[in-house]
Amino acid sequence: MPGVTINRAPLARRALAGLSGLLAGAAALAVAELAAVAVRPEAGPVVAVGSGAIDRTPAPVKDWAIRTFGEADKLVLQLGILLVLALLAVGLGLAATRHRRAAAAGVLLFGVVGAAAALSRPDSSSWTDALPSVAGALAGAAVLHVLAGRLTAAPPGADGADGAWDRRGFLIAASAAAVASAGAGTAARVAAGARGGDAAASRDAVTLPRPASKAAPVPPGAALRVPGLQPFVTPNKDFYRVDTALVVPKVDATAWRLRIHGRGVRTPLTLTFQDLLRRALVERDITLTCVSNEVGGPYVGNARWIGVPLAGLLREAGVRPPSRGGPADQLVSRSVDGMTIGTPVDDVMDGRDALLAVGMNGEPLPFDHGFPVRMVVPGLYGYVSACKWIEDIELTTFDAYDAYWVKRDWAREAPVKTQSRIDTPKPFARPGAGTVMVAGVAWAQHRGIEAVEVRVDDGPWRRADLAAEHTADTWRQWSWPWKATPGSHTLTVRATDGTGATQTDRRTRTIPDGASGWHSVVVTVE
């Protein structure tokens, strides 16, 4: 308004107070991440708090996150944590202009939260896991204390003093904090890269031996040439990844060890990576499915695995399945990041190709998929069979121990359900009238697929053409030429497995033992 003078100095001071909080937060994170390199990456506060949040999140919420964000769920969580920390840092910066010591103590409190989260992780084995959060909190509190002091007082006659605060002193201190934080953050990234380099070098040095038992050749006609259909073999870069690891473990294969012990183990085993490579390896094509896969979802893939038969190792250790009088009915596998997965011993030892896999599609396992060693058990959902970065196998019972996901209300045993999916045409596609090729995949690992049927709207079921079957442990492609007429139509698919059981139409959620129902797509024919 004319004649009204607005004093902008308080607004500028509050903005700088918020900035001081952000700079203190940045300093805390940078120092914490640098300290985490010396301890272990999983001890960093963002990873520790994020992992703790994942562990304590109810299963339905996790399921929603996977459905909503897919494989970006972990990135979304980390960005969310950083956003919350940024908002809290701004709040502490504003509070510091009036309550300087209390605000600094608030930063220290967040360090306590981070330290507690790190120590509560199942893979934590030392008090040193608390050090990154503590070091970061001390650095952040110190930065906030100094910057807030420049905003609340100025020495008598100070050049650049503005009212009651030292503008020049604040700018110098803020610049120094920003530069130091950037330097610490860069050093942390460089050091982390160097640390991960040893693991990468150990992977690069791996030459997979020729398997003693090669996979059967994929028969002609097993892979259909239909545009839009998923390939029969899923490339490693496209293979789904669903796990709880915020930071993908980078394990040095030369230092890796696997321990087999527990009930009914007469001869405990400790194996190195080279011990596994020296054994008779087998190569098998196996389709894996995640229990979080919704009807028609993307979390299923087929790969050629090479590894050591797990049943043979267990027999070498003296293990007998419970069907033959053994005392243990559950095999608990543990990952280097603390994940536990429980698998029925009878399923592992019933003759199926349960593997400790070391290779995937002709190369050593990618880090994302469990290098140096992971479990692969055909016919079971991954959460009860596919432990990645495995380092320990304990024989026990289901009554004595609940693995990670069972504690969160998932089923103890989870055979893969018979499922089918339409890959083409895509939902809401607008194909032209005439012959439209409908195609997709169907799977019922360890039982195989005997038939696939397609229905248009509420019409009769029509038998689709099945691609040649490779094995009962791999998915099967199918196609059906549809004489499409103009208008909106719903295409639905169902499969029948090798036991003669037809896929149920009863729609269920993924919890507690996998989704069921028929997959449908709506298209408009023009």
Side-chain angles (χ1 to χ4, degrees), residues 59-61 63 67 294 417 507-516:
V61 178
D63 203 41
R67 289 198 313 271
E294 292 282 345
K417 295 180 178 179
R507 197 81 174 209
T508 64
R509 302 167 56 207
T510 58
I511 299 171
D513 60 357
S516 67

Side-chain angles (χ1 to χ4, degrees), residues 188-205:
R189 287 190 292 273
V190 171
R195 181 169 181 164
D198 292 338
S202 72
R203 182 179 182 274
D204 291 342

Side-chain angles (χ1 to χ4, degrees), residues 249-263:
K250 298 291 181 69
V251 181
D252 185 343
T254 62
W256 176 86
R257 299 291 185 273
L258 173 69
R259 182 184 176 212
I260 301 177
H261 62 105
R263 295 191 185 190

